[in-house]
Structures are given as C-alpha cells and as structure tokens.
C-alpha cells in the first residue's frame, strides 16, 4: 500500500494540517511503510468476528435531567486567544 | 533530621507523618530541594508548582494537628501533564496548549487532592502521550536517571524519571498502549496500568478514548496500590467508568502467591529480544515458582497483530480527539489568511511530527472507502486479541512477561524510524487493547546497569491479584531497592 | 420569479429534514441548562463539556432519550433496540470538539409515517425514514469587520433530526407536513415550535421530474427557512426555478441553496467544500444504548394525546365538524385554549365559532400567529362569559363582539366593560318604543316607501334604531316594535 503525495495532501486537508513540502514527502513514505506493515491484518479471516468498539460490559449509562451550573462567562473565556463581548472571536468564514 | 526523607516509600512516609517524626512541609521541602538540584539533569518536570506544594503542605500539617487522616495525607506526587489541574498550566507536552490552564481538576487528581496529596509539579510527556521516549515532547526530552544519555521511556517518562530519581514519592501517568509500564521498566520503578474503566478518565486529555487509562508510579508495589486505591472507582462524569466496588488492595496484598497459576505466553519471548531481558524475566518467573506459584505455558495467538491493530484504532480515535485544538477557545493561534488557513497553520505548527503523523494515519483509516478495510478490521482483530486473554484467564490467574524487548535506548536512536519506535511497545499493547490491567516492576539489570521490567497482566478488574503477586515478588527480591547514581 | 409557467407536466419530489431541539432541562451530554438563545447572555450556560475543553467526557441525558422515543412513537416509527452514538467529524468554529456526537448507523427510530391534513380536507401519508439524536452546535454571529463571534449556549442542546421519505409533491404538502410535525412536537411538550427562535429548523430537499416518471433528478437542499411561510415560499420558488432550468434545456446543479427573504429567492450557497467526508465512527466515550420493549411501553404510557386523537375526540364527543376540529387541533395552544373554554362551561360548537371567527380575526389584525393565543388578553373564561351573556340576552351579539375587542385590546373585566360602555342589552319596551317612534318620525320617506310595499326598507330602519341605541337594543324586540309602529301608520 503506498500513499501518493496527492492522497497525503487530501488527508492533511481533511485533518486541517498545514504540512511543509518536506513533511508531505516524509509522511508519504512513512505512512506507506506503516500501512504496509498493517496489511498483515489481511491474513486474518474476520468475517464472523464482531468488532470491539469498547471492552466494557456496559450499556445504558444515563444521567438524570437535572441542571448543575457550569462556568461563569469569564472562566469560559479565560483561555480564549481572542474574545469580545462575552464571546469567542474568530475570523469570519467565507464559504 | 538525619535521614533523607526522599528515600522513604510512600508507606514509610505516611507512617512518619502520622507519628509526627517529620512534617509535610519538611517532606515536601526535601523533594523540592532535590528537584532544584537534579531536575536540570533529569528534566522530569515541565513545571514545578513549588508555591502551591508548600501551601498544601502547610494545610496538611494543620490538618494533621487537628487529628485529620487520609490515605495519602501529605504525600508529594508528580502529575503527568496530560491530566488537567485547576489553574495550573496543562500542556500535554504540546506547544499547541502552551499557557492553557484548565478550570477543573481531572477526577483522578481531585481524588488524590481530597486524600491529602501534595502536587510537586507537572511532568514531561511525549506530546499528547504519543510516544515511547519523551523525545516527542514539544519542550524537551527527559533523561533516564540510570544513564542520562538514554531515554526514560514514554510517554509518561517524566513521572517515571521523577520517581526513579526521587524527585517525587510517587507519580501519576497515563497508559494507552504501555505509557506507564514501559517507562517504569526503563527507569527501574513500579507502575500499574489499571483495567480500562477502573479509574475515571474525566480530565485526562484524550489520546485514544477506548484505550486511555490513568496509572500510578511508585518505588514499591504497595505504593502504587495505595495510589490506585484512592483514584479508583466510579465517576458519574465518565460514562466508561465501571460502577463496581473498589477492593481494599492493602488488605490482600500480603497473601502471597502460593497456589496461584502464572501463565507464560510463548509469543512474548521473541527473536530480537535483548538476551538480558529474557534471562531476567525467566528468572523472575522461576522465583515465583520457587515461592509456590504454579507456572503454565500459555498461548496468546494474536499477539503479533496487536501492533497493527493498535496503530489503526489509537490514531483513528486520536484524529477526532485532537480536532478540538482549533485555536478558537484555548491554546495556540497562528492567524493566517482566512479562518481555515488559521486552523491549518495553528495545527501544522502547533503539533509535532509524531502527533501529525498519527492524526494523518487515523484520518486516513476513517476516511471514505477505507473505514471497513482499516478501522473496522482493526476492531474485529481487537475482539480476537481480547478473546485470547479471556481464554488464557480460564487457565491462569495472572500472566507474566517482559515489559519491553530491550532496556532503555539512547536518545535519538529510534527517532527517525517510527515503526522501530512503535515496536518498543509490542508487549504492552495487547493488554491495552483487551482493557485488562498490567503491573510493571523491576526484575533485574542488564550488563550496562540498566533496569529490566517484569510485566504482570491480570484479568479485567483484578488489580488486586497483580498487586498481590508483585508485592510477593518484591518482598523476595531487592531490585526495587537499587537507586540510580545521580 | 416574475412569471409562473403553468407546467402540469412536472411534479416535485421533496424530502424534508427537520432539526428539532428537545426541551429538556439540561443539555444532551452535560448538565448545563437549556436556555432561550434569544434571551440569555452569551456563554453563560456553558461548562467544560459543551465548550469542548480538553479531557471532558459526555454523559447521556435520559430525558432526551425518552423524548426521542416519544417523538418516534408519535411518528409511528419502530424504536431501535440497539442504539449507538457516533462521532461525525468536521471542523467549524461553532463545533467545539471538532466532531458532533450523533447517531449514524444505528438511529433511534426508523420506518414511520405521519398523516398530513391538506387544505381540501384530504389526508396523505408521508413516510418517515429515520429520526436520530444528536447535539446542537454553538452559534456564530458574523460581524461587519470580517470577524465572527461564537456563543456556546446552544452547544450540546439535544437535537432530534427527523428525515422523511421523498413523498412530498408540492409546497402545500410541505407546509402541511411542517404544520403537522410541529403540532406533534408541541403536543408532546418536547418543542415549543417557535421557528423564529431556531428551536425548530427545516430543510427541504427538492427535485422535479416529469409526471409519470420514477427517476430522481439532481436535487437542491434549501436551508435558512425560519418560518413555515418562508418554507412554503422557498419551496414554491425552488420548484418553479428547477422546472424553468429543465425547460430551458439546462440541468439543475446538485447544491445547497439558501432563502433570501428580502428578494424572495433561493440562492446558491457555494461552499468551496472539499466534498464532505465525515469519517463517522462509534463514539468511544459512550457505552451503547439498548432500548428494551418495556422501556418503550413505559414511555408510551406517559404520552400525551396527539393531534389526530384529539381531532377524533372533538368530532365524536363534542360534535365539531371535521373542518373545525382540524383547525382547532392544528396548534396545541389553540386546542388547549378551546378545551379550557369548554371546561369553563360553554357549548363547544359556539365556542369554536367564536374562536375561529372573532378571536382569529382579532389575532390576524394584530399580527399574532395561532400558537401565540396564550399571549392575548382574552382568557378562555372571558370568552365563555361573553357567550353566556349573549345567551342570557344580557348583551346582544354585536355588543359581545365589542366587549371582546375591548378586552383584546385593553384588557379588563367583561362585566365592567359592559357597564362602562353601556353595552347591556336594552329590552324595556317603553324605551325601545320611544326610540322606534323617533326614528320613524325622522325618516318619513323610508316610512312611505315601506307603506308602498318596499319591505326591505325595514332593515335600514332597524339599523337606525340600533345605532340610536348604540347597538344595545334587543334586536328581536326592536323588529317587533318597528312592525307594530309602521302598521299603525298605514
């Protein structure tokens, strides 16, 4: 399994990661090597095996619908890189 | 004060504090002094919370005077920097979280505080706990106290090195694929990785949600048992924490190994393993036998697939868990062009190479057209690996193996080959995938005087058995008493 | 669109996607309060969980699940036994975790239907494909300086996404579906139905095709529909637009379109979207949800009466016509108002007439929507009081209307208004006769015309008497006295 540069760029776009030219080249090689290694899983027939999304024997973990207070506005915004009028400020999105 | 208080185990320090032999301030100050002297060499801490530690110590002394007691009252611990601490910078070893101060404590941390623990500081880690050496930290590499040219292991290398170098009485780490067990082995200390769901993950900054667990470091098995006992138990804030009683670990820790069945999986003794490691682990198994345990060879046939399985599941979950670092609400922001440029630049510059590599791998494994072939396939193989253990535990009470194939490697030795680095976790990944518990404890030294770790794996939620076997072994050996010369 | 072309050769194929916030006390995955977004200060109903801070974990709100089950049952769905939440991955500043916890492969409810009531009195079955639970996002506000502000009060509010089969054929049906769905949600008490506040959000997936064909042509997804009226207009517009595109030899582009309320047009919302790849996978932070049949039945047992059942009851037990019953059940507040009035002791049919006549007229005049009936000053008991006073001949019909209008506009007590406005019915023969004789004296030509056999003139004379008495005269008595006095002048 080898990943092309274009595929690596596409994944980087999905993951919202700016990668340098050098990184794109490096990841194409490294990810391909890892995927080659991982291909060993294909040797296993898992047709009748259920997937394990969680190892826990748990189901229906629910909370009662009761309000508890969270954070003051100031605390909510305390770590914000940019805030204005009680809100988080970001650049506008141009669709 | 004649003895060096930092040489005391947690159990011993508790006794000394209770009987008034020394104060929490004195104990804390001893550690702070040692940190001042040695942290620049070991680089275990990202930040030392000296002021807060002394304030807490003062409060503890006051409480002791008022007749208060607590399981860990006055014990100074090191906290891995992936665990959230109110008002104390929590970075996960990443530049992207520089300056971030959580408004809440992780549940595990809160329970320790409630029990009287004094936090000495936040310890270094591979960025977002992704790594086996702390070389992936966005800040610096922690040194192995036994040989400062070598790595302490990872990702919880900071806490392991701090405990090993007596820069803390014990510590907290997190283990997703071996991140407390492997550094404990490489630094010659004890660590327990509890079963998934035993300790709340609330406030543990997620790497791989279905695998992450909070573990404890100490210089003795009893010490990690004490810390675990305080942290463990159901938390309504974590839907994946088990609502089952926590046994009194200290009550059963002394029951010995007589009659216990110890499984030795043949798949864990592989080519390319360091001979000294195999020799030490086999000797440890012989020791258990000599103490009355019954040794059985077992097979965990899907062991070899654990690495591939892990490196699909963990990065896939990580790719989602790390999406929140978008510069909107906290952390680094590198403003560029439009909003999406800012997102991409912030994440491109804020994350290190290994984190980006895993985000890329995980994003790919989940992307359209590949989900079934990669992520779903890995989940199915995970079932097989889990079933291996379930079958094994029908025959044995505990499984013994090496923790890592080699002792501590040199800094930079594996930095350019991610796959080689991943292979240092081959023996710890299967238990993580199965969600069972594991204990790592010293069982010897190689020809370079580097520590070797013995891994004990127990059935789901049977940490008590691990602690019991580990403690019995420790009582019969002296490996844990050796100290690195710093 | 300037001209509407008559093209019976096309039919529309429409599927609706409705996002309904569920009115729980706390959010879907944390215990922050669900607040009115238009009233609360920004970022005051938030916590580390709904802000997506590092290390936080979700915990499912049981009430949200039960509300979801209720809606599923009301939409005649099968409630899935096995439920699993998944992460839907995409980046947006109002999405704090970089993923939305939603249901994907295993939704809560599937394979249902809803019967919609069409203007001609017929009903039609609209299939419900699925209804699944998820969490709402925060809210972005774009500023003129090129920045946006983000408020997370809405982040994590429980949201039920309800998706129909493409069974809807025109804007009228789309409107009927929205009205019916909104009524059901209101009846269940899980959503206020207030689209202007964004608690109920509608999207229409629209395509057209030649009548008789089974093909599915390119469709557009029309968003920003913040009222049923806008939904109707946007749908009508979009159907016509697509027909024109095909008729002019073009082809419809599969895309998302917005509704421009100013221009009354849909417009392309071209996003430079790199085709969405949501990378769904099971949410590892949440154990699966198994909804036992017992649980479903427990929820069913506590469900309030739904509009169709209420409609039947209004017809069978209260004797309303099918039309009246449909109108009165269409909005829960209207139905509640009506039932409260009936409870206060009045004839159901007469109450229905007064509500659908006078009250709706007054509400229309003041620009109130039907569901805002709770905001009017006329309480159900007052409506009944007026009706009873008319029956007792204390006031006449006209005075009744006048009293209602005064209460509607200014408030006040019915009896007090009758007194202060002098609206009590005048039945005293002496008083009435005096008024009649005065009118006859003042209108000799009309009297002559009547005497010459022009009988309808009596209506004019009636009006003059009533006017002279400021509308309070007992109409029957006035009529009788008029005839008596006119006959005397033969």
């Amino acid at each position: 399994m080898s990943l092309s540069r274009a595929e690596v760029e596409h994944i980087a776009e999905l993951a919202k990661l700016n990668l340098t030219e050098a990184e794109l080249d490096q990841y194409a090689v490294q990810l391909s090597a890892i995927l080659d290694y991982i291909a060993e899983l294909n040797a296993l027939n898992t047709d009748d095996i259920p997937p394990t999304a969680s190892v826990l024997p748990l189901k229906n973990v629910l909370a009662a619908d009761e309000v508890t207070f969270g954070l003051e506005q100031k605390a909510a915004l305390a770590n914000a890189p940019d805030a204005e009028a009680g809100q988080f400020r970001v650049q506008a999105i141009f669709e | 004060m004649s003895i060096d208080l930092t040489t005391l185990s947690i159990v011993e320090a508790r006794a000394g504090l209770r009987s008034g032999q020394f104060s929490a301030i004195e104990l804390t100050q001893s550690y702070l002094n040692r940190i001042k002297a040695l942290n620049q060499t070991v680089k275990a801490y990202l930040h030392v919370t000296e002021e807060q530690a002394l304030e807490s110590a003062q409060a503890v002394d006051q409480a002791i005077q008022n007749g208060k007691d607590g399981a860990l009252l006055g014990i100074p611990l090191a906290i891995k920097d992936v665990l959230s601490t109110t008002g104390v910078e929590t970075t996960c070893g990443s530049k992207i979280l520089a300056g971030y101060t959580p408004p809440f404590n992780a549940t595990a941390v809160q329970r320790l505080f409630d029990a009287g623990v004094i936090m000495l500081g936040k310890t270094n880690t591979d960025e977002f706990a992704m790594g086996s050496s702390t070389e992936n930290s966005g800040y610096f590499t922690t040194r192995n106290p036994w040989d400062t040219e070598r790595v302490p292991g990872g990702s919880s290398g900071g806490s392991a090195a701090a405990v090993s170098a007596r820069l803390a009485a014990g510590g907290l780490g997190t283990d997703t694929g071996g991140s407390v067990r492997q550094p404990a082995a490489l630094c010659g200390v004890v660590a327990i990785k509890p079963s998934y769901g035993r300790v709340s993950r609330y406030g543990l900054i997620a790497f791989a949600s279905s695998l992450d667990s909070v573990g404890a470091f100490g210089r003795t098995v009893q010490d990690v048992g004490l810390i675990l006992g305080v942290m463990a138990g159901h938390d309504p804030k974590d839907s994946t924490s088990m609502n089952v009683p926590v046994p009194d670990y200290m009550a059963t820790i002394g029951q010995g190994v007589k009659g216990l069945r110890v499984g030795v999986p043949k798949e864990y003794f592989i080519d390319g393993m360091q001979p000294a490691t195999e020799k030490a682990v086999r000797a440890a198994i012989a020791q258990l036998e000599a103490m009355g345990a019954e040794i059985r060879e077992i097979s965990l046939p899907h062991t070899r697939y654990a690495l591939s399985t892990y490196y699909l599941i963990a990065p896939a979950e990580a790719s989602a868990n790390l999406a929140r670092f978008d510069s909107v609400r906290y952390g680094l922001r590198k403003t560029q062009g439009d909003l999406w440029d800012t997102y991409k630049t912030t994440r491109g510059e804020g994350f290190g190479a290994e984190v980006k590599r895993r985000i890329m791998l995980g994003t790919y494994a989940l992307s359209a057209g590949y989900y079934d072939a990669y992520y779903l396939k890995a989940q199915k193989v995970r079932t097989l690996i889990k079933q291996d253990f379930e079958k094994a535990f029908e025959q044995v009470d505990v499984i013994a193996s090496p923790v890592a194939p080699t002792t501590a490697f040199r800094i930079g030795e594996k930095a350019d080959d991610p796959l080689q680095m991943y292979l240092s976790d081959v023996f710890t990944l299967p238990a993580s995938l199965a969600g069972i518990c594991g204990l790592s404890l010293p069982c010897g030294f190689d020809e370079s005087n580097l520590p070797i770790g013995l891994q004990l794996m127990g059935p789901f939620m049977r940490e008590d058995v691990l602690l019991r076997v580990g403690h019995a072994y420790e009582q019969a050996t002296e490996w844990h008493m050796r100290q690195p010369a710093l | 669109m300037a001209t509407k072309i008559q093209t019976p050769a096309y039919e529309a194929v429409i599927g609706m996607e409705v996002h309904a916030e569920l009115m729980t006390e706390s959010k879907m995955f944390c215990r922050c309060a669900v607040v009115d977004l238009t009233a609360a200060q920004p970022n005051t109903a938030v916590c580390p969980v709904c802000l997506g801070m590092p290390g936080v974990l979700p915990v499912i709100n049981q009430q949200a699940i039960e509300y979801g089950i209720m809606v599923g049952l009301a939409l005649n769905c099968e409630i899935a036994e096995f439920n699993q939440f998944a992460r839907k991955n995409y980046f947006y500043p109002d999405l704090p975790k970089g993923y939305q916890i939603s249901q994907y492969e295993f939704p809560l409810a599937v394979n249902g239907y809803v019967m919609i009531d069409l203007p001609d009195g017929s009903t039609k079955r609209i299939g419900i494909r699925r209804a699944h639970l998820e969490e709402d996002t925060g809210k972005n506000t774009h500023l003129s300086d090129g920045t946006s502000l983000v408020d997370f009060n809405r982040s994590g509010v429980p949201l039920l996404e309800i998706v129909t089969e493409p069974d809807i054929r025109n804007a009228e049906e789309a409107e009927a579906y929205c009205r019916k769905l909104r009524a059901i949600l209101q009846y269940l008490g899980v959503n206020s139905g207030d689209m202007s506040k964004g608690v109920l959000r509608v999207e229409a997936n629209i395509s057209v095709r030649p009548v008789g064909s089974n093909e599915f042509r390119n469709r557009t997804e029309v968003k920003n529909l913040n009222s049923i009226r806008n939904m109707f207009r946007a749908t009508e517009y979009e159907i016509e637009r697509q027909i024109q595109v095909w008729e002019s030899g073009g082809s419809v582009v599969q895309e998302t379109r917005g509704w421009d309320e100013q221009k009354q047009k849909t417009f392309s919302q071209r996003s430079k979207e790199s085709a969405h790849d949501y990378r769904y996978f099971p949410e590892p932070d949440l154990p699966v949800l198994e909804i036992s049949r017992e649980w479903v039945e427990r929820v069913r047992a506590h469900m309030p009466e739904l509009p169709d059942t209420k409609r039947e009851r209004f017809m069978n037990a209260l004797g309303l016509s099918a039309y009246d019953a449909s109108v009165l059940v269409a909005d829960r507040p209207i139905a509640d108002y009506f039932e409260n009035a009936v409870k206060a002791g009045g004839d159901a049919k007469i109450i229905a007439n007064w509500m659908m006549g006078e009250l709706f007229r007054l509400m229309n005049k003041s620009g109130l929507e039907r569901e805002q009936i709770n905001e009017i000053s006329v309480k159900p008991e007052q409506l009944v009081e007026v009706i009873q006073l008319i029956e007792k001949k204390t006031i006449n019909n006209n005075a009744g209307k006048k009293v209602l209008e005064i209460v509607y506009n200014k408030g006040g007590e019915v009896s007090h208004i009758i007194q202060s406005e002098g609206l009590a019915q005048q039945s005293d023969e002496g008083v009435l006769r005096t008024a009649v004789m005065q009118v006859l004296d003042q209108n000799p030509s009309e009297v002559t015309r009547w005497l010459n056999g022009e009988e309808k003139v009596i209506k004019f004379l009636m009006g003059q008497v009533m006017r002279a008495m400021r509308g309070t005269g007992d109409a029957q008595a006035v009529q009788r006295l008029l005839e008596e006095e006119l006959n005397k002048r033969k």
Side-chain angles (χ1 to χ4, degrees):
Chain A
M1 181 78 211
S2 95
L3 277 181
S4 69
R5 267 274 299 240
E7 282 174 296
V8 174
E9 280 177 57
H10 171 67
I11 301 162
E13 175 64 35
L14 277 177
K16 293 276 183 280
L17 289 173
N18 248 1
L19 298 181
T20 62
E21 292 299 309
E23 283 175 317
L24 286 169
D25 289 334
Q26 194 190 28
Y27 285 151
V29 172
Q30 290 176 338
L31 294 177
S32 297
I34 295 167
L35 290 172
D36 277 340
Y37 185 93
I38 284 169
E40 69 169 0
L41 295 184
N42 295 330
L44 282 173
N45 182 348
T46 53
D47 291 350
D48 300 325
I49 309 297
T52 294
S54 165
V55 296
L56 297 179
L58 285 179
K59 61 181 181 186
N60 297 8
V61 178
L62 303 163
D65 185 25
E66 286 159 7
V67 172
T68 52
F69 184 74
L71 293 174
E72 300 285 352
Q73 188 189 63
K74 199 174 155 209
L77 296 166
N79 283 289
D82 191 7
E84 171 73 32
Q87 305 197 53
F88 297 88
R89 182 153 67 180
V90 296
Q91 290 152 283
I93 300 146
F94 298 104
E95 296 279 356
Chain B
M1 196 169 66
S2 52
I3 53 156
D4 179 352
L5 297 180
T6 67
T7 60
L8 301 177
S9 72
I10 292 174
V11 172
E12 290 161 348
R14 279 294 300 124
L17 285 164
R18 275 201 178 105
S19 63
Q21 276 176 273
F22 48 84
S23 67
I25 288 273
E26 287 169 318
L27 180 63
T28 304
Q29 195 59 63
S30 301
Y31 278 108
L32 289 170
N33 290 343
R34 196 166 162 86
I35 289 168
K36 266 182 206 134
L38 291 173
N39 191 47
Q40 55 202 355
T41 309
V42 181
K43 298 179 165 186
Y45 287 93
L46 282 168
H47 23 271
V48 178
T49 50
E50 179 172 358
E51 213 171 299
Q52 188 180 331
L54 289 171
E55 275 172 28
S56 314
Q58 201 155 27
V60 163
D61 284 332
Q62 191 61 52
I64 291 173
Q65 275 190 353
N66 295 342
K68 294 255 166 60
D69 203 356
L72 293 169
L73 193 59
I75 300 302
L77 298 183
I79 313 280
K80 187 183 185 182
D81 204 33
V82 300
L83 291 160
S84 304
T85 43
T86 307
V88 175
E89 188 180 9
T90 301
T91 67
C92 290
S94 180
K95 293 276 195 236
I96 211 163
L97 269 182
Y100 167 67
T101 55
F104 62 98
N105 281 322
T107 298
V109 172
Q110 185 62 52
R111 288 185 179 174
L112 291 178
F113 286 166
D114 292 346
V117 160
I118 292 159
M119 173 170 69
L120 292 168
K122 302 298 287 289
T123 52
N124 195 26
T125 168
D126 286 293
E127 186 179 8
F128 288 103
M130 296 181 192
S132 312
S133 68
T134 72
E135 289 166 293
N136 296 332
S137 166
Y139 298 95
F140 46 75
T141 300
T142 297
R143 306 300 170 124
N144 190 313
W146 293 90
D147 178 352
T148 54
E149 297 303 304
R150 291 175 187 268
V151 302
S155 63
S156 312
S159 284
V163 174
S164 167
R166 291 187 280 118
L167 307 181
L172 288 199
T174 61
D175 189 314
T176 304
S179 279
V180 298
R181 289 164 288 164
Q182 184 257 18
L186 269 52
C187 289
V189 296
V190 182
I192 190 157
K193 169 226 156 347
S195 307
Y196 183 80
R198 176 56 99 184
V199 178
S200 170
R201 292 185 295 119
Y202 190 81
L204 183 180
I205 298 180
F207 156 20
S209 310
S210 76
L211 296 157
D212 291 341
S213 59
V214 182
F217 291 96
R219 293 198 290 271
T220 69
V221 173
Q222 270 191 318
D223 284 3
V224 300
L226 262 179
I227 298 173
L228 177 64
V230 171
M231 292 194 298
H234 179 243
D235 175 11
K237 288 183 182 154
D238 177 2
S239 306
T240 63
S241 77
M242 293 293 287
N243 195 356
V244 293
V246 179
D248 179 355
Y249 298 124
M250 293 306 115
T252 53
I253 201 164
Q255 289 179 350
V257 296
K258 212 173 174 93
L260 281 182
R261 299 161 302 171
V262 177
V264 180
K266 58 181 188 215
E267 292 84 1
Y268 281 63
F269 296 86
I270 53 170
D271 292 345
M273 207 169 146
Q274 188 181 339
T277 297
E278 176 161 4
K279 199 175 149 206
V281 172
R282 296 235 185 249
I285 291 163
Q287 174 69 43
L288 291 172
E289 188 168 28
M291 292 159 64
E294 183 192 327
I295 307 300
R296 290 191 185 179
E297 177 162 301
I298 58 164
S299 175
L300 297 165
H302 297 94
T303 300
R304 62 170 290 196
Y305 299 107
L307 185 73
S308 295
T309 304
Y310 179 86
Y311 279 97
L312 286 169
I313 290 172
E317 294 180 3
S319 72
N321 285 329
L322 272 58
R324 70 189 61 202
F325 302 103
D326 59 8
S327 80
V328 176
R329 289 145 294 127
Y330 41 75
L332 183 73
R333 178 183 292 184
K334 291 269 183 185
T335 303
Q336 280 295 325
D338 69 7
L339 180 76
W340 298 132
D341 291 333
T342 295
Y343 269 46
K344 286 189 263 190
T345 308
T346 300
R347 292 166 59 79
E349 293 181 17
F351 290 135
E354 180 63 21
V355 170
K356 285 188 276 189
R357 185 155 40 234
R358 295 203 198 180
I359 290 175
M360 294 286 288
L361 182 58
T363 302
Y364 179 75
L366 291 172
S367 64
Y370 297 101
Y371 180 87
D372 286 4
Y374 289 111
Y375 189 72
L376 189 65
K377 180 81 184 183
Q379 284 198 327
K380 289 178 166 193
V381 180
R382 187 176 185 180
T383 304
L384 295 173
I385 291 166
K386 186 166 171 267
Q387 287 171 350
D388 280 357
F389 281 104
E390 284 162 1
K391 282 178 204 150
F393 285 122
E394 287 168 12
Q395 306 167 48
V396 298
D397 300 300
V398 64
I399 295 170
S401 81
V403 177
T406 68
T407 52
F409 46 89
R410 288 183 189 284
I411 291 168
E413 190 180 325
K414 299 183 180 182
D416 294 331
D417 189 345
L419 210 45
Q420 274 309 307
M421 185 71 90
Y422 297 168
L423 282 165
S424 61
D425 293 330
V426 278
F427 299 145
T428 49
L429 296 174
S432 290
L433 289 164
I436 59 171
C437 50
L439 182 72
S440 174
L441 67 163
C443 72
F445 286 82
D446 73 0
E447 50 285 351
S448 312
N449 199 35
L450 294 169
I452 296 167
L454 169 69
Q455 175 173 231
L456 299 172
M457 292 176 273
F460 186 59
M461 294 286 146
R462 292 308 304 271
E463 291 79 5
D464 58 328
V465 180
L466 294 186
L467 292 166
R468 185 177 149 193
V469 176
H471 179 68
Y473 175 78
E474 198 178 71
Q475 294 299 99
T477 56
E478 294 191 329
W479 309 112
H480 65 288
M481 293 187 189
R482 291 208 199 170
Q483 306 263 337
L486 272 166
Chain C
M1 204 143 296
T3 51
K4 236 179 161 180
I5 40 173
Q6 285 304 311
T7 43
Y10 283 90
E11 68 173 0
V13 180
I14 303 170
M16 308 285 290
E17 274 179 39
V18 172
H19 285 87
E21 284 185 2
L22 299 177
M23 289 195 304
T24 47
E25 298 293 320
S26 66
K27 292 183 177 180
M28 184 75 216
F29 298 117
C30 64
R31 304 289 76 80
C32 283
V34 172
V35 296
D36 181 347
L37 212 60
T38 59
Q41 289 296 309
N43 295 305
T44 54
V46 294
C47 73
V49 176
C50 53
L51 286 171
M53 289 189 131
V56 300
L57 297 168
V59 183
I60 299 170
N61 183 342
Q62 175 164 356
Q63 186 67 71
I65 302 297
E66 297 192 348
Y67 280 174
I69 294 172
M70 266 206 238
V71 177
L73 290 173
L75 299 177
N76 304 295
C77 290
E78 300 159 22
I79 305 300
E81 201 148 352
F82 182 82
N83 278 258
Q84 189 174 51
F85 284 95
R87 292 185 182 178
K88 177 181 182 180
N89 297 285
Y90 67 95
F91 288 93
Y92 213 77
D94 65 11
L95 186 69
K97 298 187 296 300
Y99 57 84
Q100 180 189 35
I101 305 177
S102 181
Q103 292 185 303
Y104 178 57
E105 206 182 338
F106 301 100
L108 177 66
V110 294
N111 296 334
Y113 67 88
V114 59
M115 299 303 294
I116 61 169
D117 307 301
L118 295 168
D120 66 0
S122 66
T123 59
K124 179 175 171 177
R125 185 186 200 272
I126 304 296
I128 301 293
R129 181 174 292 170
R130 59 184 277 157
H132 72 253
L133 282 162
E134 58 190 28
E135 54 179 338
D136 211 340
T137 62
K139 196 163 166 47
N140 284 351
T141 311
H142 301 293
L143 302 183
S144 53
D145 68 354
T147 64
S148 287
L149 298 182
V150 197
D151 170 16
F152 290 98
N153 280 348
R154 196 179 70 180
S155 169
V157 170
L159 205 55
L160 191 70
E161 180 175 332
I162 303 159
V163 183
T164 72
E165 297 293 343
D167 291 346
I168 295 166
R169 289 289 167 272
N170 54 50
E172 286 77 18
E173 290 181 10
E175 173 172 348
Y177 169 72
C178 287
R179 288 202 183 282
K180 192 56 170 282
L181 180 62
R182 188 172 66 167
I184 289 170
L185 296 172
Q186 286 175 333
Y187 273 71
L188 294 174
V190 303
N191 187 287
S192 69
D194 193 343
M195 290 175 73
S196 66
K197 285 187 174 165
V199 300
L200 191 65
R201 307 196 286 273
V202 178
E203 292 164 34
N205 290 301
I206 302 171
S207 66
V208 298
R209 66 184 175 199
V211 169
S213 124
N214 287 324
E215 66 180 319
F216 290 105
R217 294 191 174 185
N218 277 354
R219 62 187 156 81
T220 58
E221 191 179 330
V222 184
K223 296 186 168 186
N224 307 349
L225 307 173
N226 60 4
S227 69
I228 288 185
R229 195 171 300 140
N230 282 337
M231 188 279 305
F232 180 85
R233 288 180 185 157
T235 304
E236 240 188 356
Y237 176 91
E238 183 60 17
I239 291 168
E240 287 302 319
R241 188 191 68 85
Q242 291 191 14
I243 291 171
Q244 287 196 356
V245 169
W246 293 119
E247 283 291 294
S248 60
S251 70
V252 169
V253 179
Q254 186 131 340
E255 62 180 351
T256 300
R257 296 180 71 85
W259 172 245
D260 186 328
E261 206 178 335
Q262 298 295 311
K263 297 180 184 156
Q264 295 282 302
K265 280 181 173 184
T266 65
F267 62 94
S268 174
Q269 286 186 322
R270 263 159 310 175
S271 48
K272 56 169 183 180
E273 55 189 289
S274 45
H276 286 300
D277 184 345
Y278 290 125
R279 290 160 282 135
Y280 285 98
F281 73 100
E283 168 56 276
D285 289 333
L286 291 173
V288 299
L289 194 58
E290 271 179 31
I291 300 176
S292 68
R293 300 305 91 180
E294 293 73 29
W295 190 4
V296 172
E297 291 316 310
R298 274 204 306 279
V299 172
R300 195 196 300 275
H302 288 97
M303 271 170 66
E305 188 181 39
L306 289 168
D308 285 350
T309 321
K310 202 182 275 290
R311 182 164 160 267
E312 292 301 306
R313 187 163 58 78
F314 282 3
M315 289 165 67
N316 298 334
L318 300 176
L320 297 193
S321 72
Y323 175 78
D324 289 0
S326 297
V327 171
L328 291 176
V329 303
D331 293 279
R332 168 129 190 228
I334 295 285
D336 288 346
Y337 191 100
F338 171 72
E339 291 201 274
N340 285 332
V342 172
K343 219 178 285 166
D347 179 87
K349 278 199 230 175
I350 296 173
I351 291 168
N353 286 339
W354 277 86
M355 281 181 67
M356 293 165 64
E358 259 332 89
L359 281 192
F360 286 5
R361 186 185 66 78
L362 291 168
M363 287 171 70
N364 282 344
K365 208 167 124 191
S366 57
L368 285 187
E369 299 288 333
R370 298 276 166 87
E371 69 258 25
Q372 290 169 295
I373 195 163
N374 290 329
E375 296 168 25
I376 70 172
S377 329
V378 183
K379 300 300 153 210
E381 297 73 22
Q382 291 177 296
L383 176 66
V384 170
E385 190 181 352
V386 168
I387 292 171
Q388 286 173 344
L389 289 172
I390 294 169
E391 280 171 2
K392 282 193 262 172
K393 300 202 179 224
T394 308
I395 55 174
N396 65 21
N397 228 43
N398 281 332
K401 287 180 186 173
K402 223 176 240 174
V403 173
L404 278 184
E405 185 153 6
I406 291 167
V407 177
Y408 187 93
N409 289 326
K410 301 182 193 157
E413 306 233 343
V414 170
S415 57
H416 181 76
I417 290 164
I418 290 170
Q419 205 176 26
S420 65
E421 300 286 318
L423 292 171
Q425 179 157 280
Q426 189 50 266
S427 310
D428 184 289
E429 274 217 27
V431 176
L432 292 177
R433 198 178 294 277
T434 309
V436 165
M437 284 162 66
Q438 270 174 9
V439 165
L440 295 185
D441 291 347
Q442 286 159 6
N443 296 281
S445 62
E446 279 72 16
V447 173
T448 313
R449 282 163 62 193
W450 187 85
L451 292 172
N452 290 339
E454 208 177 322
E455 281 188 14
K456 66 175 182 194
V457 175
I458 200 168
K459 283 206 172 131
F460 169 79
L461 295 167
M462 250 320 270
Q464 291 303 106
V465 176
M466 292 304 273
R467 188 202 242 175
M469 305 203 60
R470 297 180 39 254
T472 59
D474 177 339
Q476 278 176 307
V478 171
Q479 171 105 16
R480 180 170 52 76
L481 292 172
L482 255 179
E483 284 172 8
E484 268 182 40
E485 289 301 323
L486 281 165
N487 280 320
K488 281 186 193 165
R489 301 188 183 207
K490 266 188 182 166

